[in-house]
Amino acid sequence: MTKTIPVSVGIDLGGTSTRVGVFNPQLEMLRSESMHTQVSAGPDAAVKLMARTIDSLLIGAEGVRYEAVGIGIGSPGPINLRDGILGKLPNLPGWDGFPLRDRLEEATHLPVHLESDANAAAIAEWKLGAARDLGVDSIGMLTLGTGVGSGFILSGKVWHGIVGMGGELGHAVIKPGGWLCGCGSQGCLETYTSAQGLVRLAREVAESDEGTSELRNALVAPDHTTPQKIGLLAGDGEPAARRVFDGFGEKLGIGLANLISTLDLPLIVVGGGVASAWPFFADAMFGAIRDNSLVYRLAMPRQVATFEQDRTFVCPAALGSSAGLIGAALLPFMNEAGADVPAVHMA
Amino acid sequence: MTKTIPVSVGIDLGGTSTRVGVFNPQLEMLRSESMHTQVSAGPDAAVKLMARTIDSLLIGAEGVRYEAVGIGIGSPGPINLRDGILGKLPNLPGWDGFPLRDRLEEATHLPVHLESDANAAAIAEWKLGAARDLGVDSIGMLTLGTGVGSGFILSGKVWHGIVGMGGELGHAVIKPGGWLCGCGSQGCLETYTSAQGLVRLAREVAESDEGTSELRNALVAPDHTTPQKIGLLAGDGEPAARRVFDGFGEKLGIGLANLISTLDLPLIVVGGGVASAWPFFADAMFGAIRDNSLVYRLAMPRQVATFEQDRTFVCPAALGSSAGLIGAALLPFMNEAGADVPAVHMA
C-alpha cells in the first residue's frame, strides 16, 4: 500500500550553483540535487532544468508518494517581489526583468513562492535555526558571503520594503569616503565584511608594519579559498591574521551597532561563509557594537532576562549554508498553514 | 439641550514645557493649555498638575459636554512602553523609573496611552500630516530638535523595539571616530544634525578659511536662537551660512541613506525645529542620499509612480511643532477604533 506524504520543494538559486531539495513538513530533507547554474544559457533554460529536476525528485520512494504543496525559491536580490520579477542582479547578468515566479509556475503547475535569498535565510534561522527556541517575532539576519545580504523578520513578517528589495544593510555606509563599493557608493559595510572585504583588509594589514610573511603568503594569488586560509592562520594565533579579523569585527560591529540603534531588534543573526570565523572577530565586533550604540548599551541589562547572556542577541547562524534552501522550502508550508509569511507587507 | 462630544486628551510632555490639548474626533483642537514642566518638583507633582489641567479643559462649552475617551501622552524616550515606565531621560533628571502611565490613570480615572514623543509625532505625520494622502503604511520620521528623535510606522504599526525604545536613529553613527556625543559614542547623527550640531558645524565653518564676519557674529554668545540666526543668514544668501547647511545636509543625507538602505522605506518625514531650514539643506541632503544609498538609487524610478517626483519620498513634516501633541491625541481614538496602533508589537 502506498503512503502519501505532503512535501515542499525548496530552491536556492545562486550565481554559481542551484540547489533543489524536497522537504517533509518536519523540514527534513528527503532528496536533493545540486547543479551548476548555467547563467549564460538564460533564465528560460534554467527554469526548464529546475522543472525537470523537480519532476525527478518528486518521484517517491518504495511505498511512498510525494505530493508537492508548492515550491519556494530564494533568489539573489534585488527582486520585485510584488510582481515576482528579477531585478538587475550582479551575479545573474542578462536575467533582469525575468518573471521568475510566473514562468516557474507555468513550467511546474505548482504554486511558487519567491523570496530574496537573504530573506529566505532569515526565515530559516528564525523558524528553525538560531532563533528557534527564543520566542522572538523579530530578527535581523546578515549573510556574509561574496557580498553582504540582509533579511528582516519584523513582528512575525518578512520585511519587503517598497517593491520587495527589503533593504540592503550591506550597502549602508559605515565609513563615508571609504573604500569604493561595486554599487558605486563608498564605504559600504559590504566592502569591509564580505569575503572580498576580508581579503582587502588582509592586504592592508599585510602591507603595513603589522604584516607578516605568513599573511603575505596567504595572499599570493588570492582566490575563493583565501578567506579560509586567513581563518586558518588566525586559528593558529598568527598575529597579523588576528589583526585582520580585529579590523573585520570592528567594521561589522559598526554596521550592527547602527542597525541596533535604528530598530532596537531583539536578535541579530550573523551567517554566511565568512561568519564561520566568528571566534576570531566576535570580541572586536561586540566591542564596536558597545562603543557605537547607545541603544545596545541601554538594552543590554534587560535582555539578560530574555536570552542567555547580555550579548547573545547578536549570535552566529545555526543552519550554515543550507539556510537559504531550508527557508525557501518553508515558504509553501507557511503560506499553506495560515499565511504567517504572506508575500508582500507594504504599500 | 446639551450636546455630548467625544474628545481625546493629548499631552506633549517635554523637558521645558508641557502642552495639554482637547481634540474632537476630527482631530481639531478644541482647547489647550501650555505650562512650564517643573522638572525638579518631580513626576508626581507633574501628574497632579496634568490631572488638574485636564479637569479644567474638559469643562465643556455652552450647550456642549465633553466626554473624554482617553488620554494620549507623548514623553521623551527612552520609555519602557510595555510597562509604561520612564527610562533614564536626559531632560527629565530624577524621573527615571516613574510609572507614568499608571499614575496618570489613577489621577484621572481615564485610560492612558503612552508613547515616545518621536513616535507620537510619526503617528501624527502619518495619519494627518505629510503622509496623509499618500496611502503608505510605513514611514520613518526624524525630529531634528535639541536632539534627534526617530519614530517608525512599519506595516501600519508603531515600531517599539524590544521594550519600547523603538530605535534611536539619532544615535546611529555616521562618522566613526567623529564628534563626541552626549550618549558616549562618537560621530552619532545627532552630533551633527540637531540644533546643537548645527551650531557646532557653524563654528567649524566660522573658524575655517570659509568663515565670514557675519557668521562669526551670529555665533557670539550662542543661545537657543542661534540656529534661527544662521538660518536667516542662509536665507540672505550669506556664503558661510550656506556652507554650514551644505555640511548639515550632507551629514543628514548619510544618516537617511543608511536608513533607506536598511529598510527601503517608502517615505521619510523630516521634522523638528531645525527642519524649517529645509530649503537650505535639502539639495546637499538629497545629494548625499543618492551618493550613499544603492537602494535609493535603485528605488527612485519606481517611486515616481507612487508619489509626485523621484525625490519626494524624503519630505519635510507638515504639522510643525504640534505633531507630538496631535499624535498623542490620536492614540485614544485609534485604540478605540480598532487598535490599529496597539501598545506593543514585539516580543
Side-chain angles (χ1 to χ4, degrees), chain A residues 8-22:
Chain A
S8 169
V9 178
I11 304 177
D12 186 15
L13 171 63
T16 309
S17 65
T18 299
R19 284 176 74 193
V20 182
V22 173

Side-chain angles (χ1 to χ4, degrees), chain A residues 288-308:
Chain A
I289 296 175
R290 274 194 307 273
D291 286 350
N292 290 285
S293 177
L294 167 71
V295 172
Y296 183 80
R297 295 194 296 273
L298 287 174
M300 268 200 300
R302 287 208 68 97
Q303 286 174 282
V304 181
T306 321
F307 303 136
E308 293 142 51

Side-chain angles (χ1 to χ4, degrees), chain B residues 6 32 44 112 120 136 175 190 256 307:
Chain B
S32 75
D44 277 306
V112 172
V136 295
K175 189 174 177 183
E190 174 168 305
L256 293 177
F307 303 136

